[in-house]
Amino acid sequence: VVQLHHRIDELRATGAEVHVIGNGTPNFIAGFREVTGWRGPLYTDPSLVAYERAGMKRGVMKTLNFGAAVRTLGALGRGAKQGRTQGDAWQQGGIVVIDVGGDVLWTHASDAPGDNASVEQIVAGLNRSPPGTQAR
Amino acid sequence: MVRATLGGMLTRADDLASLSVLDEDGGQVTLGSLWRERPAILVFVRHFG
């Protein structure tokens, strides 16, 4: 989210809006804004139903794996800080890009912490034609 | 429930559109309203923290 926050103008220049969805209770939203600096649309899905239907992954082994540990240690070494976990610790995140009308243009479901999509990948996804149609 | 997928990838957001999420005041927001007028980039974060 911090990476997206810094490059939000690039994403909005495509005509799309960025909506962040977390999974704690609504009263954690203010703290999330404070930690990340995110000022855009922000919601929460404590039931995790939207996560499930969006194809996001969940599981202990997806959270606790060697690659994730290395990335986390690297991030901490570069000065990043992880706040106290608010929400489901085993739930992974990801991105779904949806066109007006409901066609899903692109998705990324994280396999593990640190497995994040880049802004370039998201922009490429926005420029992709809906499945089953000809290229724009 | 039938999910619109192509090769395992979600192709339609119909299943998501009818779901509600909560805003910071605890109010319900229908997900489908987020891509009614412009494309939406939904960023699902691991957790708040």
Side-chain angles (χ1 to χ4, degrees), chain A residues 1 15-17 19 21 23 32-33 43-44 51 53 82 86 93-96 98 100-104, chain B residues 3 10-13 15-16 19 21-24 35-36 38-49:
Chain A
V1 171
E17 179 58 281
H19 304 270
I21 300 172
N23 58 65
F32 181 84
R33 287 196 189 280
Y43 309 100
T44 186
Y51 278 76
R53 292 202 190 168
Q82 165 112 30
Q86 310 288 4
I95 291 177
V96 180
I98 304 170
V100 174
D103 281 321
V104 175
Chain B
R3 299 185 66 171
L10 199 64
T11 57
R12 289 282 307 170
D15 284 350
L16 284 169
L19 297 178
V21 290
L22 304 176
D23 63 20
E24 42 210 302
W35 53 86
R36 192 169 292 148
R38 55 193 290 199
I41 302 166
L42 305 185
V43 180
F44 290 88
V45 297
R46 289 179 54 228
H47 46 67
F48 289 144

mmCIF file of all heavy atoms in Angstrom, chain A residues 1 15-17 19 21 23 32-33 43-44 51 53 82 86 93-96 98 100-104, chain B residues 3 10-13 15-16 19 21-24 35-36 38-49:
data_model
loop_
_atom_site.group_PDB
_atom_site.id
_atom_site.type_symbol
_atom_site.label_atom_id
_atom_site.label_comp_id
_atom_site.label_asym_id
_atom_site.label_seq_id
_atom_site.Cartn_x
_atom_site.Cartn_y
_atom_site.Cartn_z
ATOM 1 N N VAL A 1 0.833 -1.198 0.000
ATOM 2 C CA VAL A 1 0.000 0.000 0.000
ATOM 3 C C VAL A 1 0.867 1.247 0.000
ATOM 4 O O VAL A 1 0.564 2.220 -0.681
ATOM 5 C CB VAL A 1 -0.952 -0.007 1.215
ATOM 6 C CG1 VAL A 1 -1.653 1.336 1.348
ATOM 7 C CG2 VAL A 1 -1.964 -1.125 1.067
ATOM 8 N N GLY A 15 -7.628 6.499 -15.291
ATOM 9 C CA GLY A 15 -9.078 6.634 -15.165
ATOM 10 C C GLY A 15 -9.667 5.754 -14.083
ATOM 11 O O GLY A 15 -10.860 5.821 -13.804
ATOM 12 N N ALA A 16 -8.835 4.922 -13.477
ATOM 13 C CA ALA A 16 -9.314 4.008 -12.443
ATOM 14 C C ALA A 16 -9.163 4.627 -11.050
ATOM 15 O O ALA A 16 -8.398 5.572 -10.863
ATOM 16 C CB ALA A 16 -8.542 2.696 -12.504
ATOM 17 N N GLU A 17 -9.903 4.073 -10.102
ATOM 18 C CA GLU A 17 -9.730 4.470 -8.706
ATOM 19 C C GLU A 17 -9.191 3.272 -7.930
ATOM 20 O O GLU A 17 -9.495 2.121 -8.245
ATOM 21 C CB GLU A 17 -11.075 4.915 -8.097
ATOM 22 C CG GLU A 17 -11.011 5.332 -6.630
ATOM 23 C CD GLU A 17 -10.019 6.480 -6.361
ATOM 24 O OE1 GLU A 17 -8.797 6.218 -6.293
ATOM 25 O OE2 GLU A 17 -10.480 7.623 -6.235
ATOM 26 N N HIS A 19 -9.081 1.229 -4.496
ATOM 27 C CA HIS A 19 -9.841 0.983 -3.273
ATOM 28 C C HIS A 19 -9.078 -0.049 -2.444
ATOM 29 O O HIS A 19 -8.845 -1.164 -2.918
ATOM 30 C CB HIS A 19 -11.233 0.436 -3.587
ATOM 31 C CG HIS A 19 -12.032 1.309 -4.512
ATOM 32 N ND1 HIS A 19 -12.863 2.313 -4.053
ATOM 33 C CD2 HIS A 19 -12.124 1.329 -5.860
ATOM 34 C CE1 HIS A 19 -13.432 2.908 -5.101
ATOM 35 N NE2 HIS A 19 -13.005 2.337 -6.193
ATOM 36 N N ILE A 21 -8.887 -2.628 0.658
ATOM 37 C CA ILE A 21 -9.787 -3.419 1.501
ATOM 38 C C ILE A 21 -8.944 -4.208 2.495
ATOM 39 O O ILE A 21 -8.063 -4.978 2.097
ATOM 40 C CB ILE A 21 -10.646 -4.367 0.649
ATOM 41 C CG1 ILE A 21 -11.482 -3.562 -0.345
ATOM 42 C CG2 ILE A 21 -11.543 -5.233 1.536
ATOM 43 C CD1 ILE A 21 -12.228 -4.408 -1.358
ATOM 44 N N ASN A 23 -9.111 -6.355 6.560
ATOM 45 C CA ASN A 23 -10.009 -7.355 7.157
ATOM 46 C C ASN A 23 -10.109 -7.274 8.666
ATOM 47 O O ASN A 23 -10.536 -8.222 9.310
ATOM 48 C CB ASN A 23 -9.631 -8.768 6.699
ATOM 49 C CG ASN A 23 -8.197 -9.127 7.054
ATOM 50 O OD1 ASN A 23 -7.862 -9.228 8.235
ATOM 51 N ND2 ASN A 23 -7.355 -9.287 6.051
ATOM 52 N N PHE A 32 -4.662 2.384 10.381
ATOM 53 C CA PHE A 32 -4.052 1.973 9.116
ATOM 54 C C PHE A 32 -3.682 3.196 8.290
ATOM 55 O O PHE A 32 -2.603 3.263 7.700
ATOM 56 C CB PHE A 32 -5.040 1.088 8.350
ATOM 57 C CG PHE A 32 -4.514 0.581 7.033
ATOM 58 C CD1 PHE A 32 -3.719 -0.547 6.970
ATOM 59 C CD2 PHE A 32 -4.834 1.231 5.854
ATOM 60 C CE1 PHE A 32 -3.236 -1.016 5.755
ATOM 61 C CE2 PHE A 32 -4.358 0.770 4.637
ATOM 62 C CZ PHE A 32 -3.557 -0.354 4.589
ATOM 63 N N ARG A 33 -4.578 4.180 8.275
ATOM 64 C CA ARG A 33 -4.277 5.413 7.539
ATOM 65 C C ARG A 33 -3.048 6.096 8.122
ATOM 66 O O ARG A 33 -2.190 6.604 7.392
ATOM 67 C CB ARG A 33 -5.480 6.367 7.603
ATOM 68 C CG ARG A 33 -6.658 5.959 6.746
ATOM 69 C CD ARG A 33 -7.602 7.136 6.571
ATOM 70 N NE ARG A 33 -8.851 6.793 5.951
ATOM 71 C CZ ARG A 33 -9.025 6.625 4.629
ATOM 72 N NH1 ARG A 33 -7.996 6.731 3.816
ATOM 73 N NH2 ARG A 33 -10.206 6.336 4.141
ATOM 74 N N TYR A 43 -11.786 0.332 2.987
ATOM 75 C CA TYR A 43 -12.896 -0.447 3.546
ATOM 76 C C TYR A 43 -12.342 -1.653 4.282
ATOM 77 O O TYR A 43 -11.149 -1.946 4.213
ATOM 78 C CB TYR A 43 -13.831 -0.927 2.423
ATOM 79 C CG TYR A 43 -14.274 0.174 1.493
ATOM 80 C CD1 TYR A 43 -13.663 0.352 0.248
ATOM 81 C CD2 TYR A 43 -15.277 1.061 1.871
ATOM 82 C CE1 TYR A 43 -14.055 1.371 -0.598
ATOM 83 C CE2 TYR A 43 -15.673 2.088 1.029
ATOM 84 C CZ TYR A 43 -15.047 2.237 -0.205
ATOM 85 O OH TYR A 43 -15.431 3.253 -1.035
ATOM 86 N N THR A 44 -13.245 -2.363 4.954
ATOM 87 C CA THR A 44 -12.827 -3.593 5.609
ATOM 88 C C THR A 44 -13.858 -4.693 5.380
ATOM 89 O O THR A 44 -15.050 -4.422 5.232
ATOM 90 C CB THR A 44 -12.586 -3.369 7.119
ATOM 91 O OG1 THR A 44 -12.043 -4.573 7.670
ATOM 92 C CG2 THR A 44 -13.866 -2.990 7.851
ATOM 93 N N TYR A 51 -12.660 -11.546 0.186
ATOM 94 C CA TYR A 51 -11.326 -12.098 -0.076
ATOM 95 C C TYR A 51 -11.457 -13.458 -0.776
ATOM 96 O O TYR A 51 -10.765 -13.754 -1.756
ATOM 97 C CB TYR A 51 -10.549 -12.301 1.234
ATOM 98 C CG TYR A 51 -9.867 -11.079 1.781
ATOM 99 C CD1 TYR A 51 -10.598 -10.085 2.428
ATOM 100 C CD2 TYR A 51 -8.487 -10.911 1.679
ATOM 101 C CE1 TYR A 51 -9.974 -8.973 2.947
ATOM 102 C CE2 TYR A 51 -7.856 -9.796 2.199
ATOM 103 C CZ TYR A 51 -8.605 -8.831 2.832
ATOM 104 O OH TYR A 51 -7.976 -7.727 3.342
ATOM 105 N N ARG A 53 -14.023 -14.789 -2.446
ATOM 106 C CA ARG A 53 -14.603 -14.746 -3.798
ATOM 107 C C ARG A 53 -13.675 -14.053 -4.794
ATOM 108 O O ARG A 53 -13.773 -14.280 -5.989
ATOM 109 C CB ARG A 53 -15.962 -14.055 -3.762
ATOM 110 C CG ARG A 53 -16.982 -14.881 -3.011
ATOM 111 C CD ARG A 53 -18.375 -14.552 -3.375
ATOM 112 N NE ARG A 53 -19.294 -15.208 -2.467
ATOM 113 C CZ ARG A 53 -20.578 -14.938 -2.400
ATOM 114 N NH1 ARG A 53 -21.100 -14.019 -3.198
ATOM 115 N NH2 ARG A 53 -21.358 -15.566 -1.555
ATOM 116 N N GLN A 82 6.763 -3.091 10.864
ATOM 117 C CA GLN A 82 5.502 -3.820 10.817
ATOM 118 C C GLN A 82 4.741 -3.497 12.087
ATOM 119 O O GLN A 82 5.217 -3.691 13.191
ATOM 120 C CB GLN A 82 5.764 -5.332 10.743
ATOM 121 C CG GLN A 82 4.547 -6.178 11.061
ATOM 122 C CD GLN A 82 4.027 -6.922 9.852
ATOM 123 O OE1 GLN A 82 4.771 -7.274 8.948
ATOM 124 N NE2 GLN A 82 2.729 -7.156 9.829
ATOM 125 N N GLN A 86 -3.606 -6.438 12.862
ATOM 126 C CA GLN A 86 -5.013 -6.204 13.142
ATOM 127 C C GLN A 86 -5.805 -6.894 12.053
ATOM 128 O O GLN A 86 -5.900 -6.408 10.948
ATOM 129 C CB GLN A 86 -5.334 -4.710 13.144
ATOM 130 C CG GLN A 86 -4.414 -3.859 14.003
ATOM 131 C CD GLN A 86 -4.638 -4.059 15.483
ATOM 132 O OE1 GLN A 86 -5.438 -4.892 15.876
ATOM 133 N NE2 GLN A 86 -3.945 -3.316 16.312
ATOM 134 N N GLY A 93 -3.061 -11.246 0.758
ATOM 135 C CA GLY A 93 -3.724 -10.188 0.011
ATOM 136 C C GLY A 93 -3.581 -10.370 -1.484
ATOM 137 O O GLY A 93 -3.259 -11.451 -1.975
ATOM 138 N N GLY A 94 -3.818 -9.295 -2.187
ATOM 139 C CA GLY A 94 -3.693 -9.335 -3.646
ATOM 140 C C GLY A 94 -4.474 -8.209 -4.284
ATOM 141 O O GLY A 94 -4.936 -7.290 -3.591
ATOM 142 N N ILE A 95 -4.601 -8.276 -5.597
ATOM 143 C CA ILE A 95 -5.221 -7.182 -6.347
ATOM 144 C C ILE A 95 -6.172 -7.748 -7.394
ATOM 145 O O ILE A 95 -5.866 -8.755 -8.039
ATOM 146 C CB ILE A 95 -4.129 -6.320 -7.012
ATOM 147 C CG1 ILE A 95 -3.356 -5.570 -5.926
ATOM 148 C CG2 ILE A 95 -4.735 -5.344 -8.025
ATOM 149 C CD1 ILE A 95 -2.211 -4.749 -6.420
ATOM 150 N N VAL A 96 -7.323 -7.093 -7.537
ATOM 151 C CA VAL A 96 -8.257 -7.431 -8.605
ATOM 152 C C VAL A 96 -8.582 -6.133 -9.340
ATOM 153 O O VAL A 96 -9.000 -5.154 -8.720
ATOM 154 C CB VAL A 96 -9.558 -8.063 -8.052
ATOM 155 C CG1 VAL A 96 -10.502 -8.408 -9.204
ATOM 156 C CG2 VAL A 96 -9.250 -9.312 -7.241
ATOM 157 N N ILE A 98 -10.960 -4.375 -12.036
ATOM 158 C CA ILE A 98 -12.294 -4.617 -12.594
ATOM 159 C C ILE A 98 -12.705 -3.430 -13.453
ATOM 160 O O ILE A 98 -12.644 -2.275 -13.028
ATOM 161 C CB ILE A 98 -13.322 -4.824 -11.456
ATOM 162 C CG1 ILE A 98 -12.868 -5.969 -10.543
ATOM 163 C CG2 ILE A 98 -14.711 -5.115 -12.035
ATOM 164 C CD1 ILE A 98 -13.670 -6.099 -9.264
ATOM 165 N N VAL A 100 -15.434 -1.140 -15.789
ATOM 166 C CA VAL A 100 -16.837 -0.739 -15.692
ATOM 167 C C VAL A 100 -17.672 -1.819 -16.381
ATOM 168 O O VAL A 100 -17.347 -2.236 -17.490
ATOM 169 C CB VAL A 100 -17.062 0.630 -16.381
ATOM 170 C CG1 VAL A 100 -18.543 0.982 -16.417
ATOM 171 C CG2 VAL A 100 -16.265 1.715 -15.667
ATOM 172 N N GLY A 101 -18.684 -2.296 -15.696
ATOM 173 C CA GLY A 101 -19.489 -3.375 -16.253
ATOM 174 C C GLY A 101 -19.177 -4.722 -15.626
ATOM 175 O O GLY A 101 -19.940 -5.661 -15.758
ATOM 176 N N GLY A 102 -18.040 -4.826 -14.919
ATOM 177 C CA GLY A 102 -17.778 -6.039 -14.148
ATOM 178 C C GLY A 102 -16.805 -7.032 -14.750
ATOM 179 O O GLY A 102 -16.592 -8.099 -14.169
ATOM 180 N N ASP A 103 -16.224 -6.738 -15.914
ATOM 181 C CA ASP A 103 -15.199 -7.641 -16.429
ATOM 182 C C ASP A 103 -13.932 -7.525 -15.584
ATOM 183 O O ASP A 103 -13.469 -6.413 -15.303
ATOM 184 C CB ASP A 103 -14.853 -7.306 -17.886
ATOM 185 C CG ASP A 103 -15.880 -7.848 -18.862
ATOM 186 O OD1 ASP A 103 -16.365 -8.974 -18.650
ATOM 187 O OD2 ASP A 103 -16.201 -7.135 -19.830
ATOM 188 N N VAL A 104 -13.385 -8.680 -15.194
ATOM 189 C CA VAL A 104 -12.127 -8.680 -14.436
ATOM 190 C C VAL A 104 -10.976 -8.643 -15.430
ATOM 191 O O VAL A 104 -10.822 -9.535 -16.265
ATOM 192 C CB VAL A 104 -12.024 -9.930 -13.539
ATOM 193 C CG1 VAL A 104 -10.668 -9.985 -12.843
ATOM 194 C CG2 VAL A 104 -13.145 -9.922 -12.508
ATOM 195 N N ARG B 3 -18.818 -19.729 -10.524
ATOM 196 C CA ARG B 3 -17.853 -18.636 -10.600
ATOM 197 C C ARG B 3 -17.394 -18.475 -12.040
ATOM 198 O O ARG B 3 -17.093 -19.472 -12.705
ATOM 199 C CB ARG B 3 -16.662 -18.911 -9.688
ATOM 200 C CG ARG B 3 -17.062 -19.034 -8.249
ATOM 201 C CD ARG B 3 -15.851 -19.174 -7.376
ATOM 202 N NE ARG B 3 -15.055 -17.947 -7.404
ATOM 203 C CZ ARG B 3 -14.027 -17.753 -6.584
ATOM 204 N NH1 ARG B 3 -13.689 -18.663 -5.725
ATOM 205 N NH2 ARG B 3 -13.346 -16.634 -6.634
ATOM 206 N N LEU B 10 -10.325 -15.422 -12.387
ATOM 207 C CA LEU B 10 -11.630 -14.770 -12.312
ATOM 208 C C LEU B 10 -11.819 -13.884 -13.545
ATOM 209 O O LEU B 10 -10.953 -13.093 -13.892
ATOM 210 C CB LEU B 10 -11.655 -13.919 -11.042
ATOM 211 C CG LEU B 10 -13.002 -13.494 -10.478
ATOM 212 C CD1 LEU B 10 -13.818 -14.702 -10.038
ATOM 213 C CD2 LEU B 10 -12.790 -12.562 -9.299
ATOM 214 N N THR B 11 -12.931 -14.039 -14.245
ATOM 215 C CA THR B 11 -13.166 -13.236 -15.446
ATOM 216 C C THR B 11 -14.295 -12.235 -15.271
ATOM 217 O O THR B 11 -14.344 -11.240 -15.990
ATOM 218 C CB THR B 11 -13.500 -14.140 -16.645
ATOM 219 O OG1 THR B 11 -14.647 -14.937 -16.320
ATOM 220 C CG2 THR B 11 -12.329 -15.044 -16.996
ATOM 221 N N ARG B 12 -15.200 -12.534 -14.349
ATOM 222 C CA ARG B 12 -16.305 -11.616 -14.084
ATOM 223 C C ARG B 12 -16.387 -11.355 -12.584
ATOM 224 O O ARG B 12 -16.074 -12.224 -11.772
ATOM 225 C CB ARG B 12 -17.634 -12.214 -14.549
ATOM 226 C CG ARG B 12 -17.803 -12.278 -16.049
ATOM 227 C CD ARG B 12 -18.166 -10.932 -16.643
ATOM 228 N NE ARG B 12 -19.341 -10.316 -16.005
ATOM 229 C CZ ARG B 12 -19.723 -9.063 -16.226
ATOM 230 N NH1 ARG B 12 -19.034 -8.279 -17.045
ATOM 231 N NH2 ARG B 12 -20.776 -8.568 -15.628
ATOM 232 N N ALA B 13 -16.818 -10.149 -12.222
ATOM 233 C CA ALA B 13 -16.871 -9.769 -10.814
ATOM 234 C C ALA B 13 -18.298 -9.847 -10.262
ATOM 235 O O ALA B 13 -18.599 -9.256 -9.240
ATOM 236 C CB ALA B 13 -16.324 -8.358 -10.636
ATOM 237 N N ASP B 15 -19.921 -12.165 -8.728
ATOM 238 C CA ASP B 15 -20.013 -12.707 -7.373
ATOM 239 C C ASP B 15 -19.580 -11.689 -6.322
ATOM 240 O O ASP B 15 -20.032 -11.721 -5.183
ATOM 241 C CB ASP B 15 -19.124 -13.952 -7.229
ATOM 242 C CG ASP B 15 -19.756 -15.165 -7.888
ATOM 243 O OD1 ASP B 15 -20.933 -15.082 -8.266
ATOM 244 O OD2 ASP B 15 -19.067 -16.182 -8.020
ATOM 245 N N LEU B 16 -18.686 -10.808 -6.713
ATOM 246 C CA LEU B 16 -18.207 -9.782 -5.786
ATOM 247 C C LEU B 16 -19.174 -8.607 -5.702
ATOM 248 O O LEU B 16 -19.310 -7.970 -4.655
ATOM 249 C CB LEU B 16 -16.843 -9.250 -6.250
ATOM 250 C CG LEU B 16 -15.623 -10.127 -6.003
ATOM 251 C CD1 LEU B 16 -14.421 -9.565 -6.755
ATOM 252 C CD2 LEU B 16 -15.316 -10.186 -4.517
ATOM 253 N N LEU B 19 -21.675 -8.212 -2.841
ATOM 254 C CA LEU B 19 -21.163 -8.247 -1.464
ATOM 255 C C LEU B 19 -21.003 -6.839 -0.912
ATOM 256 O O LEU B 19 -20.825 -5.874 -1.659
ATOM 257 C CB LEU B 19 -19.809 -8.953 -1.416
ATOM 258 C CG LEU B 19 -19.775 -10.423 -1.826
ATOM 259 C CD1 LEU B 19 -18.339 -10.941 -1.758
ATOM 260 C CD2 LEU B 19 -20.674 -11.244 -0.927
ATOM 261 N N VAL B 21 -18.883 -4.369 1.932
ATOM 262 C CA VAL B 21 -17.773 -4.181 2.859
ATOM 263 C C VAL B 21 -18.146 -3.010 3.775
ATOM 264 O O VAL B 21 -19.151 -2.341 3.549
ATOM 265 C CB VAL B 21 -16.447 -3.898 2.114
ATOM 266 C CG1 VAL B 21 -15.954 -5.142 1.393
ATOM 267 C CG2 VAL B 21 -16.607 -2.744 1.128
ATOM 268 N N LEU B 22 -17.344 -2.779 4.799
ATOM 269 C CA LEU B 22 -17.651 -1.727 5.765
ATOM 270 C C LEU B 22 -16.705 -0.549 5.584
ATOM 271 O O LEU B 22 -15.506 -0.733 5.353
ATOM 272 C CB LEU B 22 -17.523 -2.263 7.193
ATOM 273 C CG LEU B 22 -18.383 -3.490 7.527
ATOM 274 C CD1 LEU B 22 -18.074 -3.976 8.941
ATOM 275 C CD2 LEU B 22 -19.865 -3.167 7.393
ATOM 276 N N ASP B 23 -17.257 0.669 5.693
ATOM 277 C CA ASP B 23 -16.381 1.840 5.685
ATOM 278 C C ASP B 23 -15.946 2.145 7.116
ATOM 279 O O ASP B 23 -16.283 1.424 8.050
ATOM 280 C CB ASP B 23 -17.059 3.036 5.001
ATOM 281 C CG ASP B 23 -18.309 3.507 5.746
ATOM 282 O OD1 ASP B 23 -18.449 3.197 6.954
ATOM 283 O OD2 ASP B 23 -19.136 4.180 5.113
ATOM 284 N N GLU B 24 -15.189 3.209 7.291
ATOM 285 C CA GLU B 24 -14.615 3.452 8.624
ATOM 286 C C GLU B 24 -15.652 3.834 9.677
ATOM 287 O O GLU B 24 -15.372 3.791 10.868
ATOM 288 C CB GLU B 24 -13.504 4.492 8.571
ATOM 289 C CG GLU B 24 -13.772 5.666 7.707
ATOM 290 C CD GLU B 24 -12.463 6.216 7.127
ATOM 291 O OE1 GLU B 24 -11.572 6.586 7.905
ATOM 292 O OE2 GLU B 24 -12.340 6.269 5.893
ATOM 293 N N TRP B 35 -17.145 -0.054 -9.168
ATOM 294 C CA TRP B 35 -16.748 -0.038 -10.590
ATOM 295 C C TRP B 35 -17.943 0.316 -11.475
ATOM 296 O O TRP B 35 -17.990 -0.031 -12.633
ATOM 297 C CB TRP B 35 -16.114 -1.361 -11.006
ATOM 298 C CG TRP B 35 -16.907 -2.606 -10.714
ATOM 299 C CD1 TRP B 35 -17.875 -3.173 -11.506
ATOM 300 C CD2 TRP B 35 -16.783 -3.456 -9.572
ATOM 301 N NE1 TRP B 35 -18.355 -4.310 -10.924
ATOM 302 C CE2 TRP B 35 -17.704 -4.512 -9.732
ATOM 303 C CE3 TRP B 35 -15.984 -3.433 -8.418
ATOM 304 C CZ2 TRP B 35 -17.854 -5.525 -8.779
ATOM 305 C CZ3 TRP B 35 -16.147 -4.434 -7.475
ATOM 306 C CH2 TRP B 35 -17.061 -5.455 -7.659
ATOM 307 N N ARG B 36 -18.896 1.043 -10.917
ATOM 308 C CA ARG B 36 -20.072 1.428 -11.699
ATOM 309 C C ARG B 36 -19.739 2.540 -12.699
ATOM 310 O O ARG B 36 -20.243 2.563 -13.805
ATOM 311 C CB ARG B 36 -21.188 1.894 -10.756
ATOM 312 C CG ARG B 36 -22.546 2.037 -11.438
ATOM 313 C CD ARG B 36 -23.631 2.238 -10.399
ATOM 314 N NE ARG B 36 -23.831 1.040 -9.584
ATOM 315 C CZ ARG B 36 -24.195 1.046 -8.307
ATOM 316 N NH1 ARG B 36 -24.394 2.180 -7.672
ATOM 317 N NH2 ARG B 36 -24.364 -0.090 -7.660
ATOM 318 N N ARG B 38 -16.277 4.003 -13.065
ATOM 319 C CA ARG B 38 -14.888 3.969 -13.548
ATOM 320 C C ARG B 38 -14.252 2.656 -13.089
ATOM 321 O O ARG B 38 -14.712 2.048 -12.119
ATOM 322 C CB ARG B 38 -14.094 5.182 -13.034
ATOM 323 C CG ARG B 38 -14.106 5.359 -11.546
ATOM 324 C CD ARG B 38 -13.597 6.720 -11.098
ATOM 325 N NE ARG B 38 -12.185 6.877 -11.298
ATOM 326 C CZ ARG B 38 -11.432 7.793 -10.671
ATOM 327 N NH1 ARG B 38 -11.978 8.636 -9.798
ATOM 328 N NH2 ARG B 38 -10.153 7.888 -10.916
ATOM 329 N N PRO B 39 -13.218 2.217 -13.808
ATOM 330 C CA PRO B 39 -12.567 0.964 -13.406
ATOM 331 C C PRO B 39 -12.075 1.042 -11.960
ATOM 332 O O PRO B 39 -11.745 2.120 -11.458
ATOM 333 C CB PRO B 39 -11.389 0.856 -14.390
ATOM 334 C CG PRO B 39 -11.784 1.674 -15.562
ATOM 335 C CD PRO B 39 -12.592 2.817 -15.010
ATOM 336 N N ALA B 40 -12.037 -0.108 -11.333
ATOM 337 C CA ALA B 40 -11.623 -0.164 -9.924
ATOM 338 C C ALA B 40 -10.423 -1.080 -9.765
ATOM 339 O O ALA B 40 -10.368 -2.163 -10.341
ATOM 340 C CB ALA B 40 -12.773 -0.667 -9.063
ATOM 341 N N ILE B 41 -9.476 -0.618 -8.989
ATOM 342 C CA ILE B 41 -8.345 -1.447 -8.580
ATOM 343 C C ILE B 41 -8.585 -1.795 -7.117
ATOM 344 O O ILE B 41 -8.475 -0.935 -6.244
ATOM 345 C CB ILE B 41 -7.015 -0.691 -8.738
ATOM 346 C CG1 ILE B 41 -6.823 -0.238 -10.191
ATOM 347 C CG2 ILE B 41 -5.845 -1.554 -8.276
ATOM 348 C CD1 ILE B 41 -5.718 0.794 -10.372
ATOM 349 N N LEU B 42 -8.985 -3.040 -6.852
ATOM 350 C CA LEU B 42 -9.219 -3.469 -5.478
ATOM 351 C C LEU B 42 -7.930 -4.031 -4.911
ATOM 352 O O LEU B 42 -7.395 -5.015 -5.434
ATOM 353 C CB LEU B 42 -10.317 -4.538 -5.416
ATOM 354 C CG LEU B 42 -11.674 -4.215 -6.043
ATOM 355 C CD1 LEU B 42 -12.663 -5.350 -5.757
ATOM 356 C CD2 LEU B 42 -12.218 -2.887 -5.542
ATOM 357 N N VAL B 43 -7.442 -3.404 -3.878
ATOM 358 C CA VAL B 43 -6.203 -3.856 -3.232
ATOM 359 C C VAL B 43 -6.583 -4.518 -1.910
ATOM 360 O O VAL B 43 -6.966 -3.841 -0.953
ATOM 361 C CB VAL B 43 -5.247 -2.672 -2.982
ATOM 362 C CG1 VAL B 43 -3.964 -3.162 -2.298
ATOM 363 C CG2 VAL B 43 -4.923 -1.959 -4.283
ATOM 364 N N PHE B 44 -6.507 -5.831 -1.875
ATOM 365 C CA PHE B 44 -6.794 -6.575 -0.641
ATOM 366 C C PHE B 44 -5.502 -6.654 0.160
ATOM 367 O O PHE B 44 -4.519 -7.249 -0.300
ATOM 368 C CB PHE B 44 -7.304 -7.980 -0.961
ATOM 369 C CG PHE B 44 -8.677 -8.012 -1.571
ATOM 370 C CD1 PHE B 44 -8.856 -7.907 -2.946
ATOM 371 C CD2 PHE B 44 -9.804 -8.126 -0.780
ATOM 372 C CE1 PHE B 44 -10.116 -7.927 -3.519
ATOM 373 C CE2 PHE B 44 -11.074 -8.143 -1.334
ATOM 374 C CZ PHE B 44 -11.235 -8.044 -2.707
ATOM 375 N N VAL B 45 -5.495 -6.050 1.335
ATOM 376 C CA VAL B 45 -4.272 -6.081 2.146
ATOM 377 C C VAL B 45 -4.337 -7.258 3.101
ATOM 378 O O VAL B 45 -5.414 -7.746 3.456
ATOM 379 C CB VAL B 45 -4.057 -4.756 2.911
ATOM 380 C CG1 VAL B 45 -3.858 -3.610 1.937
ATOM 381 C CG2 VAL B 45 -5.202 -4.464 3.859
ATOM 382 N N ARG B 46 -3.174 -7.740 3.517
ATOM 383 C CA ARG B 46 -3.118 -8.915 4.390
ATOM 384 C C ARG B 46 -3.831 -8.633 5.704
ATOM 385 O O ARG B 46 -4.541 -9.486 6.219
ATOM 386 C CB ARG B 46 -1.664 -9.309 4.654
ATOM 387 C CG ARG B 46 -0.982 -9.913 3.440
ATOM 388 C CD ARG B 46 0.453 -10.253 3.763
ATOM 389 N NE ARG B 46 0.549 -11.099 4.940
ATOM 390 C CZ ARG B 46 1.372 -10.897 5.949
ATOM 391 N NH1 ARG B 46 2.193 -9.871 5.925
ATOM 392 N NH2 ARG B 46 1.393 -11.711 6.968
ATOM 393 N N HIS B 47 -3.587 -7.479 6.244
ATOM 394 C CA HIS B 47 -4.248 -7.124 7.507
ATOM 395 C C HIS B 47 -3.969 -5.659 7.766
ATOM 396 O O HIS B 47 -3.125 -5.038 7.101
ATOM 397 C CB HIS B 47 -3.768 -7.974 8.680
ATOM 398 C CG HIS B 47 -2.275 -8.126 8.734
ATOM 399 N ND1 HIS B 47 -1.447 -7.059 9.007
ATOM 400 C CD2 HIS B 47 -1.481 -9.193 8.515
ATOM 401 C CE1 HIS B 47 -0.196 -7.480 8.980
ATOM 402 N NE2 HIS B 47 -0.178 -8.759 8.676
ATOM 403 N N PHE B 48 -4.679 -5.095 8.714
ATOM 404 C CA PHE B 48 -4.404 -3.712 9.116
ATOM 405 C C PHE B 48 -3.267 -3.743 10.119
ATOM 406 O O PHE B 48 -3.461 -4.076 11.284
ATOM 407 C CB PHE B 48 -5.634 -3.083 9.776
ATOM 408 C CG PHE B 48 -6.750 -2.792 8.822
ATOM 409 C CD1 PHE B 48 -8.066 -2.946 9.215
ATOM 410 C CD2 PHE B 48 -6.501 -2.340 7.543
ATOM 411 C CE1 PHE B 48 -9.100 -2.653 8.350
ATOM 412 C CE2 PHE B 48 -7.527 -2.046 6.673
ATOM 413 C CZ PHE B 48 -8.837 -2.201 7.076
ATOM 414 N N GLY B 49 -2.081 -3.412 9.730
ATOM 415 C CA GLY B 49 -0.984 -3.392 10.692
ATOM 416 C C GLY B 49 0.325 -3.580 9.983
ATOM 417 O O GLY B 49 0.385 -3.667 8.789
#
